[in-house]
mmCIF file with all atom_site columns, all heavy atoms in Angstrom:
data_model
loop_
_atom_site.group_PDB
_atom_site.id
_atom_site.type_symbol
_atom_site.label_atom_id
_atom_site.label_alt_id
_atom_site.label_comp_id
_atom_site.label_asym_id
_atom_site.label_entity_id
_atom_site.label_seq_id
_atom_site.pdbx_PDB_ins_code
_atom_site.Cartn_x
_atom_site.Cartn_y
_atom_site.Cartn_z
_atom_site.occupancy
_atom_site.B_iso_or_equiv
_atom_site.pdbx_formal_charge
_atom_site.auth_seq_id
_atom_site.auth_comp_id
_atom_site.auth_asym_id
_atom_site.auth_atom_id
_atom_site.pdbx_PDB_model_num
ATOM 1   N N   . SER B 1 67 ? -5.576 -9.381  -19.270 1.00 0.00 ? 81 SER B N   1
ATOM 2   C CA  . SER B 1 67 ? -5.531 -9.383  -20.734 1.00 0.00 ? 81 SER B CA  1
ATOM 3   C C   . SER B 1 67 ? -5.518 -10.818 -21.252 1.00 0.00 ? 81 SER B C   1
ATOM 4   O O   . SER B 1 67 ? -5.266 -11.760 -20.495 1.00 0.00 ? 81 SER B O   1
ATOM 5   C CB  . SER B 1 67 ? -4.280 -8.642  -21.237 1.00 0.00 ? 81 SER B CB  1
ATOM 6   O OG  . SER B 1 67 ? -4.435 -7.251  -21.065 1.00 0.00 ? 81 SER B OG  1
ATOM 7   N N   . GLU B 1 68 ? -5.764 -10.955 -22.544 1.00 0.00 ? 82 GLU B N   1
ATOM 8   C CA  . GLU B 1 68 ? -5.803 -12.280 -23.167 1.00 0.00 ? 82 GLU B CA  1
ATOM 9   C C   . GLU B 1 68 ? -4.416 -12.910 -23.173 1.00 0.00 ? 82 GLU B C   1
ATOM 10  O O   . GLU B 1 68 ? -3.399 -12.226 -23.236 1.00 0.00 ? 82 GLU B O   1
ATOM 11  C CB  . GLU B 1 68 ? -6.325 -12.122 -24.626 1.00 0.00 ? 82 GLU B CB  1
ATOM 12  C CG  . GLU B 1 68 ? -6.714 -13.403 -25.277 1.00 0.00 ? 82 GLU B CG  1
ATOM 13  C CD  . GLU B 1 68 ? -7.350 -13.134 -26.655 1.00 0.00 ? 82 GLU B CD  1
ATOM 14  O OE1 . GLU B 1 68 ? -7.915 -12.041 -26.871 1.00 0.00 ? 82 GLU B OE1 1
ATOM 15  O OE2 . GLU B 1 68 ? -7.271 -14.034 -27.491 1.00 0.00 ? 82 GLU B OE2 1
ATOM 16  N N   . MET B 1 69 ? -4.394 -14.244 -23.070 1.00 0.00 ? 83 MET B N   1
ATOM 17  C CA  . MET B 1 69 ? -3.129 -14.997 -23.070 1.00 0.00 ? 83 MET B CA  1
ATOM 18  C C   . MET B 1 69 ? -3.056 -15.876 -24.324 1.00 0.00 ? 83 MET B C   1
ATOM 19  O O   . MET B 1 69 ? -3.477 -17.034 -24.301 1.00 0.00 ? 83 MET B O   1
ATOM 20  C CB  . MET B 1 69 ? -3.032 -15.859 -21.812 1.00 0.00 ? 83 MET B CB  1
ATOM 21  C CG  . MET B 1 69 ? -1.690 -16.549 -21.636 1.00 0.00 ? 83 MET B CG  1
ATOM 22  S SD  . MET B 1 69 ? -1.691 -17.756 -20.265 1.00 0.00 ? 83 MET B SD  1
ATOM 23  C CE  . MET B 1 69 ? -1.767 -16.692 -18.829 1.00 0.00 ? 83 MET B CE  1
ATOM 24  N N   . PRO B 1 70 ? -2.546 -15.326 -25.448 1.00 0.00 ? 84 PRO B N   1
ATOM 25  C CA  . PRO B 1 70 ? -2.423 -16.151 -26.646 1.00 0.00 ? 84 PRO B CA  1
ATOM 26  C C   . PRO B 1 70 ? -1.332 -17.208 -26.446 1.00 0.00 ? 84 PRO B C   1
ATOM 27  O O   . PRO B 1 70 ? -0.485 -17.076 -25.547 1.00 0.00 ? 84 PRO B O   1
ATOM 28  C CB  . PRO B 1 70 ? -2.020 -15.157 -27.734 1.00 0.00 ? 84 PRO B CB  1
ATOM 29  C CG  . PRO B 1 70 ? -1.345 -14.046 -26.994 1.00 0.00 ? 84 PRO B CG  1
ATOM 30  C CD  . PRO B 1 70 ? -1.987 -13.977 -25.647 1.00 0.00 ? 84 PRO B CD  1
ATOM 31  N N   . LYS B 1 71 ? -1.349 -18.255 -27.246 1.00 0.00 ? 85 LYS B N   1
ATOM 32  C CA  . LYS B 1 71 ? -0.363 -19.332 -27.100 1.00 0.00 ? 85 LYS B CA  1
ATOM 33  C C   . LYS B 1 71 ? 1.024  -18.860 -27.516 1.00 0.00 ? 85 LYS B C   1
ATOM 34  O O   . LYS B 1 71 ? 2.035  -19.376 -27.019 1.00 0.00 ? 85 LYS B O   1
ATOM 35  C CB  . LYS B 1 71 ? -0.747 -20.531 -27.975 1.00 0.00 ? 85 LYS B CB  1
ATOM 36  C CG  . LYS B 1 71 ? -2.027 -21.227 -27.536 1.00 0.00 ? 85 LYS B CG  1
ATOM 37  C CD  . LYS B 1 71 ? -1.805 -22.049 -26.280 1.00 0.00 ? 85 LYS B CD  1
ATOM 38  C CE  . LYS B 1 71 ? -3.081 -22.776 -25.869 1.00 0.00 ? 85 LYS B CE  1
ATOM 39  N NZ  . LYS B 1 71 ? -3.066 -23.183 -24.452 1.00 0.00 ? 85 LYS B NZ  1
ATOM 40  N N   . THR B 1 72 ? 1.075  -17.955 -28.477 1.00 0.00 ? 86 THR B N   1
ATOM 41  C CA  . THR B 1 72 ? 2.364  -17.512 -29.009 1.00 0.00 ? 86 THR B CA  1
ATOM 42  C C   . THR B 1 72 ? 2.390  -15.993 -29.154 1.00 0.00 ? 86 THR B C   1
ATOM 43  O O   . THR B 1 72 ? 1.364  -15.341 -29.017 1.00 0.00 ? 86 THR B O   1
ATOM 44  C CB  . THR B 1 72 ? 2.617  -18.112 -30.410 1.00 0.00 ? 86 THR B CB  1
ATOM 45  O OG1 . THR B 1 72 ? 1.548  -17.687 -31.276 1.00 0.00 ? 86 THR B OG1 1
ATOM 46  C CG2 . THR B 1 72 ? 2.659  -19.640 -30.371 1.00 0.00 ? 86 THR B CG2 1
ATOM 47  N N   . GLY B 1 73 ? 3.602  -15.489 -29.438 1.00 0.00 ? 87 GLY B N   1
ATOM 48  C CA  . GLY B 1 73 ? 3.715  -14.047 -29.728 1.00 0.00 ? 87 GLY B CA  1
ATOM 49  C C   . GLY B 1 73 ? 4.153  -13.228 -28.548 1.00 0.00 ? 87 GLY B C   1
ATOM 50  O O   . GLY B 1 73 ? 3.532  -12.239 -28.178 1.00 0.00 ? 87 GLY B O   1
ATOM 51  N N   . TYR B 1 74 ? 5.267  -13.620 -27.911 1.00 0.00 ? 88 TYR B N   1
ATOM 52  C CA  . TYR B 1 74 ? 5.729  -12.916 -26.719 1.00 0.00 ? 88 TYR B CA  1
ATOM 53  C C   . TYR B 1 74 ? 7.094  -12.255 -26.895 1.00 0.00 ? 88 TYR B C   1
ATOM 54  O O   . TYR B 1 74 ? 7.803  -12.002 -25.923 1.00 0.00 ? 88 TYR B O   1
ATOM 55  C CB  . TYR B 1 74 ? 5.729  -13.852 -25.504 1.00 0.00 ? 88 TYR B CB  1
ATOM 56  C CG  . TYR B 1 74 ? 4.321  -14.215 -25.117 1.00 0.00 ? 88 TYR B CG  1
ATOM 57  C CD1 . TYR B 1 74 ? 3.749  -15.412 -25.562 1.00 0.00 ? 88 TYR B CD1 1
ATOM 58  C CD2 . TYR B 1 74 ? 3.549  -13.355 -24.363 1.00 0.00 ? 88 TYR B CD2 1
ATOM 59  C CE1 . TYR B 1 74 ? 2.432  -15.733 -25.246 1.00 0.00 ? 88 TYR B CE1 1
ATOM 60  C CE2 . TYR B 1 74 ? 2.234  -13.662 -24.030 1.00 0.00 ? 88 TYR B CE2 1
ATOM 61  C CZ  . TYR B 1 74 ? 1.680  -14.853 -24.472 1.00 0.00 ? 88 TYR B CZ  1
ATOM 62  O OH  . TYR B 1 74 ? 0.380  -15.161 -24.141 1.00 0.00 ? 88 TYR B OH  1
ATOM 63  N N   . THR B 1 75 ? 7.472  -11.981 -28.131 1.00 0.00 ? 89 THR B N   1
ATOM 64  C CA  . THR B 1 75 ? 8.736  -11.264 -28.321 1.00 0.00 ? 89 THR B CA  1
ATOM 65  C C   . THR B 1 75 ? 8.553  -9.801  -27.917 1.00 0.00 ? 89 THR B C   1
ATOM 66  O O   . THR B 1 75 ? 7.417  -9.314  -27.759 1.00 0.00 ? 89 THR B O   1
ATOM 67  C CB  . THR B 1 75 ? 9.162  -11.288 -29.804 1.00 0.00 ? 89 THR B CB  1
ATOM 68  O OG1 . THR B 1 75 ? 8.199  -10.539 -30.565 1.00 0.00 ? 89 THR B OG1 1
ATOM 69  C CG2 . THR B 1 75 ? 9.237  -12.725 -30.334 1.00 0.00 ? 89 THR B CG2 1
ATOM 70  N N   . VAL B 1 76 ? 9.670  -9.113  -27.768 1.00 0.00 ? 90 VAL B N   1
ATOM 71  C CA  . VAL B 1 76 ? 9.631  -7.690  -27.468 1.00 0.00 ? 90 VAL B CA  1
ATOM 72  C C   . VAL B 1 76 ? 8.871  -6.967  -28.584 1.00 0.00 ? 90 VAL B C   1
ATOM 73  O O   . VAL B 1 76 ? 8.027  -6.097  -28.332 1.00 0.00 ? 90 VAL B O   1
ATOM 74  C CB  . VAL B 1 76 ? 11.058 -7.116  -27.304 1.00 0.00 ? 90 VAL B CB  1
ATOM 75  C CG1 . VAL B 1 76 ? 11.019 -5.593  -27.198 1.00 0.00 ? 90 VAL B CG1 1
ATOM 76  C CG2 . VAL B 1 76 ? 11.723 -7.715  -26.061 1.00 0.00 ? 90 VAL B CG2 1
ATOM 77  N N   . ASP B 1 77 ? 9.142  -7.350  -29.835 1.00 0.00 ? 91 ASP B N   1
ATOM 78  C CA  . ASP B 1 77 ? 8.476  -6.699  -30.969 1.00 0.00 ? 91 ASP B CA  1
ATOM 79  C C   . ASP B 1 77 ? 6.974  -6.903  -30.953 1.00 0.00 ? 91 ASP B C   1
ATOM 80  O O   . ASP B 1 77 ? 6.203  -6.013  -31.336 1.00 0.00 ? 91 ASP B O   1
ATOM 81  C CB  . ASP B 1 77 ? 9.069  -7.185  -32.284 1.00 0.00 ? 91 ASP B CB  1
ATOM 82  C CG  . ASP B 1 77 ? 10.294 -6.394  -32.698 1.00 0.00 ? 91 ASP B CG  1
ATOM 83  O OD1 . ASP B 1 77 ? 10.505 -5.305  -32.099 1.00 0.00 ? 91 ASP B OD1 1
ATOM 84  O OD2 . ASP B 1 77 ? 11.042 -6.847  -33.572 1.00 0.00 ? 91 ASP B OD2 1
ATOM 85  N N   . ASP B 1 78 ? 6.521  -8.102  -30.544 1.00 0.00 ? 92 ASP B N   1
ATOM 86  C CA  . ASP B 1 78 ? 5.071  -8.315  -30.427 1.00 0.00 ? 92 ASP B CA  1
ATOM 87  C C   . ASP B 1 78 ? 4.471  -7.330  -29.444 1.00 0.00 ? 92 ASP B C   1
ATOM 88  O O   . ASP B 1 78 ? 3.392  -6.775  -29.661 1.00 0.00 ? 92 ASP B O   1
ATOM 89  C CB  . ASP B 1 78 ? 4.773  -9.747  -29.937 1.00 0.00 ? 92 ASP B CB  1
ATOM 90  C CG  . ASP B 1 78 ? 5.119  -10.810 -30.979 1.00 0.00 ? 92 ASP B CG  1
ATOM 91  O OD1 . ASP B 1 78 ? 4.870  -10.566 -32.169 1.00 0.00 ? 92 ASP B OD1 1
ATOM 92  O OD2 . ASP B 1 78 ? 5.645  -11.862 -30.590 1.00 0.00 ? 92 ASP B OD2 1
ATOM 93  N N   . ASN B 1 79 ? 5.170  -7.108  -28.342 1.00 0.00 ? 93 ASN B N   1
ATOM 94  C CA  . ASN B 1 79 ? 4.675  -6.175  -27.329 1.00 0.00 ? 93 ASN B CA  1
ATOM 95  C C   . ASN B 1 79 ? 4.701  -4.734  -27.828 1.00 0.00 ? 93 ASN B C   1
ATOM 96  O O   . ASN B 1 79 ? 3.827  -3.939  -27.481 1.00 0.00 ? 93 ASN B O   1
ATOM 97  C CB  . ASN B 1 79 ? 5.476  -6.313  -26.037 1.00 0.00 ? 93 ASN B CB  1
ATOM 98  C CG  . ASN B 1 79 ? 5.078  -7.535  -25.247 1.00 0.00 ? 93 ASN B CG  1
ATOM 99  O OD1 . ASN B 1 79 ? 4.093  -7.508  -24.500 1.00 0.00 ? 93 ASN B OD1 1
ATOM 100 N ND2 . ASN B 1 79 ? 5.816  -8.645  -25.384 1.00 0.00 ? 93 ASN B ND2 1
ATOM 101 N N   . VAL B 1 80 ? 5.720  -4.404  -28.635 1.00 0.00 ? 94 VAL B N   1
ATOM 102 C CA  . VAL B 1 80 ? 5.761  -3.062  -29.243 1.00 0.00 ? 94 VAL B CA  1
ATOM 103 C C   . VAL B 1 80 ? 4.569  -2.889  -30.181 1.00 0.00 ? 94 VAL B C   1
ATOM 104 O O   . VAL B 1 80 ? 3.907  -1.841  -30.183 1.00 0.00 ? 94 VAL B O   1
ATOM 105 C CB  . VAL B 1 80 ? 7.099  -2.857  -30.004 1.00 0.00 ? 94 VAL B CB  1
ATOM 106 C CG1 . VAL B 1 80 ? 7.056  -1.591  -30.856 1.00 0.00 ? 94 VAL B CG1 1
ATOM 107 C CG2 . VAL B 1 80 ? 8.266  -2.781  -29.017 1.00 0.00 ? 94 VAL B CG2 1
ATOM 108 N N   . ASP B 1 81 ? 4.262  -3.923  -30.954 1.00 0.00 ? 95 ASP B N   1
ATOM 109 C CA  . ASP B 1 81 ? 3.097  -3.859  -31.860 1.00 0.00 ? 95 ASP B CA  1
ATOM 110 C C   . ASP B 1 81 ? 1.800  -3.623  -31.071 1.00 0.00 ? 95 ASP B C   1
ATOM 111 O O   . ASP B 1 81 ? 0.924  -2.887  -31.503 1.00 0.00 ? 95 ASP B O   1
ATOM 112 C CB  . ASP B 1 81 ? 2.970  -5.166  -32.675 1.00 0.00 ? 95 ASP B CB  1
ATOM 113 C CG  . ASP B 1 81 ? 4.096  -5.327  -33.683 1.00 0.00 ? 95 ASP B CG  1
ATOM 114 O OD1 . ASP B 1 81 ? 4.737  -4.325  -34.031 1.00 0.00 ? 95 ASP B OD1 1
ATOM 115 O OD2 . ASP B 1 81 ? 4.327  -6.475  -34.128 1.00 0.00 ? 95 ASP B OD2 1
ATOM 116 N N   . ASP B 1 82 ? 1.716  -4.276  -29.918 1.00 0.00 ? 96 ASP B N   1
ATOM 117 C CA  . ASP B 1 82 ? 0.518  -4.074  -29.069 1.00 0.00 ? 96 ASP B CA  1
ATOM 118 C C   . ASP B 1 82 ? 0.411  -2.610  -28.646 1.00 0.00 ? 96 ASP B C   1
ATOM 119 O O   . ASP B 1 82 ? -0.678 -2.019  -28.685 1.00 0.00 ? 96 ASP B O   1
ATOM 120 C CB  . ASP B 1 82 ? 0.608  -4.944  -27.802 1.00 0.00 ? 96 ASP B CB  1
ATOM 121 C CG  . ASP B 1 82 ? 0.494  -6.428  -28.106 1.00 0.00 ? 96 ASP B CG  1
ATOM 122 O OD1 . ASP B 1 82 ? 0.059  -6.775  -29.209 1.00 0.00 ? 96 ASP B OD1 1
ATOM 123 O OD2 . ASP B 1 82 ? 0.874  -7.227  -27.215 1.00 0.00 ? 96 ASP B OD2 1
ATOM 124 N N   . LEU B 1 83 ? 1.539  -2.029  -28.236 1.00 0.00 ? 97 LEU B N   1
ATOM 125 C CA  . LEU B 1 83 ? 1.525  -0.651  -27.756 1.00 0.00 ? 97 LEU B CA  1
ATOM 126 C C   . LEU B 1 83 ? 1.128  0.317   -28.880 1.00 0.00 ? 97 LEU B C   1
ATOM 127 O O   . LEU B 1 83 ? 0.337  1.238   -28.666 1.00 0.00 ? 97 LEU B O   1
ATOM 128 C CB  . LEU B 1 83 ? 2.905  -0.286  -27.177 1.00 0.00 ? 97 LEU B CB  1
ATOM 129 C CG  . LEU B 1 83 ? 3.060  1.136   -26.650 1.00 0.00 ? 97 LEU B CG  1
ATOM 130 C CD1 . LEU B 1 83 ? 1.969  1.510   -25.649 1.00 0.00 ? 97 LEU B CD1 1
ATOM 131 C CD2 . LEU B 1 83 ? 4.447  1.328   -26.029 1.00 0.00 ? 97 LEU B CD2 1
#
Side-chain angles (χ1 to χ4, degrees):
Chain B
S81 287
E82 193 174 334
M83 187 188 289
K85 294 286 182 200
T86 59
Y88 292 97
T89 66
V90 172
D91 274 346
D92 291 321
N93 283 278
V94 169
D95 291 341
D96 292 343
L97 179 53

